[in-house]
Amino acid sequence: MRTETIKQPAAPASNSASTSPSSNANAAAGGKIGTYRWTICALLFFATTVNYLDRQVLSLLAPELTREFGWSNTDYANITAAFQFVYAISMLFAGRVVDRLGTKGAFALAIVVWSFGAIMHAVAVPMGEGLAGAMSAIDLAAVPVSVIGFMAARAVLALGESGNFPAAIKATAEYFPKKDRAFATGIFNSGANVGAVLAPISVPVIAATWGWQAAFIIIGAIGFVWLGLWMIFYEKPTSQKRLGAPELAYITCDDAAPAADGKPAGRCLSWWELLGYRQTWAFAFGKFMTDGVWWFFLFWLPKYLAAQYGMASTDIQWPLAILYSMTMIGSIGGGWFPTFFINKGATPYDGRMKAMLMIAVFPLAVLLAQPLGYISFWVPVLMVGIGAAAHQAWSANLFTTVSDMFPKRSVGSVVGIGGLAGGIGGVLITKIGGWLFDYYGAIGQIHTGYSIMFGFCAVAYLIAWGVMKTLVPRYDEIREPQA
């Protein structure tokens, strides 16, 4: 397994000043830098908000759907695990599709698929009846039709949503220099928090007014609004007519010099080549250990508040809205935090790792959620809020370690590999959680099951950081090999 850099072949000399990173920086300094790159960041923020709105509708309606369809915790775990499993597998290929198809087309395709998947939840029961009949015809053991239908809808949703982060990270690498990427990532990643805040405010109201099916349809349709804006406003920086020369020079100031034909030197790294680097495994392990924590918070908190505090869907609106509002501070603040160290002379990677170590301490607050939960339900809400905010700060920096160390044309593939690892971790946490909650719930000790899960959530980040730092102890950038 390697950590060494693949040296970039020297580019032929060119009379164009734009081929040199230093000349790009000089060009940027010679005129007022524009702000169009932040328009792209806003689009990524909007997409991530929609992504998490669509993802969270089920968890908010879970108490109601559990009563209507008689689901056990294991049934619900199977439905959410279907999303995570398909998401994990799809992330691997989504990253490659984004690298091959390009950011604009891949992102458009992703949101069309996931918006249809979100809307499909509204017809999950008749869809499950049809699938159950097909399964019975080939002598496969049947599960409740509602579970089958929701699993199928979650699978389509996951297939589309898997494209969001590979495309968004790649767009960030295309539109921002390295020193600004963590901040930009933190901003667009905070869309997850906004979606998580808006969902508990809007979904129960829609469901109470028009029924739970309407919640899936209305929220799912928002993605098509974003699609129109994306097709109008996004182009590659070099083809973007709304982008001024000084801003383009600023964006590309730390790019490798292109070859004489104007194309980037070298070739895209293959999966097998990427798996040969410890940098890839460090990112993948960080995702494996921590992605499931966020999904546990996202998918299980409504059921936790219902199980331990008897709260209905309308009761949990504001506790969850406040909790996820806390995560916005973590996402944006976490994206900014490494610049404190970078401005003091640290490399982007070293600054990020120092920030991530400090961030990894904050989830330990989750350990207090159960012991002090007898005081008020606000105690676990606030303690988990601190952990969730820390996750978003961690995530903004974890994603950016990829664009720090890998060439732009391989960023989507690496994010996809990490997404696969994170999805597998999420499936494990979900399945273990469902089993624990059914087991301890049956003996009247559901609080013990949640204590075990909260304990893992608290320490996962410190474990992840330790392994990542061991695998990649210092900054080591990878370059594309010669074509």
Side-chain angles (χ1 to χ4, degrees):
M1 191 177 292
R2 306 187 296 247
T3 57
E4 76 275 5
T5 300
I6 295 178
K7 299 300 182 184
Q8 178 72 30
S14 172
N15 293 329
S16 173
S18 64
T19 61
S20 168
S22 60
S23 65
N24 286 349
N26 292 336
K32 184 178 179 180
I33 299 174
T35 59
Y36 190 77
R37 63 194 183 281
W38 296 108
T39 299
I40 301 303
C41 187
L43 284 172
L44 302 179
F45 170 87
F46 185 11
T48 307
T49 300
V50 175
N51 185 283
Y52 273 80
L53 272 171
D54 290 336
R55 189 179 301 190
Q56 203 180 0
V57 175
L58 176 66
S59 63
L60 291 166
L61 297 177
E64 176 185 341
L65 295 174
T66 296
R67 289 190 298 270
E68 181 171 339
F69 298 116
W71 293 341
S72 66
N73 284 312
T74 299
D75 288 333
Y76 179 68
N78 287 336
I79 293 170
T80 57
F83 174 91
Q84 292 165 317
F85 180 76
V86 175
Y87 187 87
I89 300 300
S90 300
M91 276 286 284
L92 180 63
F93 296 98
R96 209 62 175 174
V97 169
V98 171
D99 283 337
R100 297 294 187 185
L101 189 58
T103 309
K104 184 173 184 176
F107 219 150
L109 176 63
I111 203 161
V112 168
V113 173
W114 97 53
S115 296
F116 275 120
I119 294 170
M120 283 172 61
H121 287 70
V123 292
V125 175
M127 187 165 58
E129 291 172 348
L131 291 172
M135 293 172 66
S136 177
I138 56 176
D139 294 326
L140 289 178
V143 297
V145 294
S146 62
V147 174
I148 295 173
F150 276 96
M151 287 177 68
R154 297 305 279 179
V156 176
L157 178 68
L159 180 65
E161 288 204 347
S162 66
N164 182 76
F165 280 100
I169 296 298
K170 190 175 182 70
T172 302
E174 290 175 348
Y175 266 88
F176 290 87
K178 288 182 179 179
K179 67 178 182 177
D180 292 340
R181 287 176 193 167
F183 185 49
T185 300
I187 290 175
F188 87 67
N189 195 44
S190 68
N193 315 317
V194 173
V197 170
L198 292 177
I201 295 173
S202 59
V203 170
V205 174
I206 296 172
T209 305
W210 295 294
W212 62 262
Q213 294 93 338
F216 287 110
I217 294 170
I218 293 171
I219 299 298
I222 297 173
F224 295 106
V225 177
W226 179 89
L227 178 63
L229 297 174
W230 179 252
M231 298 306 293
I232 292 170
F233 291 106
Y234 189 88
E235 295 290 347
K236 281 187 176 181
T238 52
S239 304
Q240 181 58 261
K241 296 180 180 179
R242 300 176 180 89
L243 199 65
E247 187 173 9
L248 178 61
Y250 178 76
I251 289 169
T252 58
C253 66
D254 54 11
D255 283 3
D261 60 1
K263 298 180 180 179
R267 59 174 173 80
C268 185
L269 291 160
S270 69
W271 271 332
W272 291 114
E273 287 173 311
L274 291 171
L275 290 173
Y277 289 97
R278 293 186 181 183
Q279 290 93 328
T280 304
W281 288 99
F283 175 70
F285 187 81
K287 295 285 284 179
F288 174 79
M289 287 297 296
T290 61
D291 269 17
V293 175
W294 174 252
W295 282 354
F296 174 73
F297 292 156
L298 196 70
F299 293 152
W300 287 95
L301 280 179
K303 288 182 72 68
Y304 165 72
L305 292 175
Q308 288 210 189
Y309 296 97
M311 300 173 71
S313 59
T314 51
D315 298 328
I316 64 177
Q317 285 178 292
W318 293 110
L320 290 182
I322 291 172
L323 185 154
Y324 288 118
S325 294
M326 295 170 65
T327 64
M328 285 188 284
I329 299 173
S331 184
I332 297 175
W336 168 85
F337 192 23
T339 61
F340 174 81
F341 300 106
I342 294 170
N343 290 339
K344 290 183 176 294
T347 65
Y349 177 77
D350 291 336
R352 242 175 282 293
M353 289 302 289
K354 289 179 181 179
M356 289 171 72
L357 175 59
M358 299 180 69
I359 290 166
V361 174
F362 282 90
L364 295 177
V366 179
L367 292 172
L368 301 175
Q370 290 294 76
L372 301 181
Y374 69 92
I375 299 173
S376 167
F377 68 84
W378 283 109
V379 173
V381 166
L382 294 176
M383 293 302 101
V384 172
I386 292 172
H391 174 86
Q392 291 300 81
W394 168 275
S395 183
N397 286 284
L398 181 61
F399 273 125
T400 315
T401 61
V402 178
S403 55
D404 283 343
M405 293 188 293
F406 288 90
K408 289 182 181 179
R409 288 194 293 177
S410 297
V411 164
S413 296
V414 180
V415 172
I417 292 170
L420 171 63
I424 292 171
V427 169
L428 291 175
I429 289 179
T430 295
K431 293 292 290 180
I432 291 171
W435 177 81
L436 285 173
F437 303 146
D438 274 341
Y439 174 78
Y440 284 104
I443 61 176
Q445 296 181 10
I446 189 67
H447 62 279
T448 302
Y450 280 103
S451 294
I452 294 171
M453 295 303 297
F454 285 156
F456 171 78
C457 294
V459 302
Y461 299 85
L462 287 171
I463 296 171
W465 188 92
V467 173
M468 291 175 66
K469 187 65 174 175
T470 301
L471 287 171
V472 187
R474 64 186 62 86
Y475 176 66
D476 193 6
E477 184 179 10
I478 296 170
R479 298 285 189 179
E480 293 171 343
Q482 188 171 2

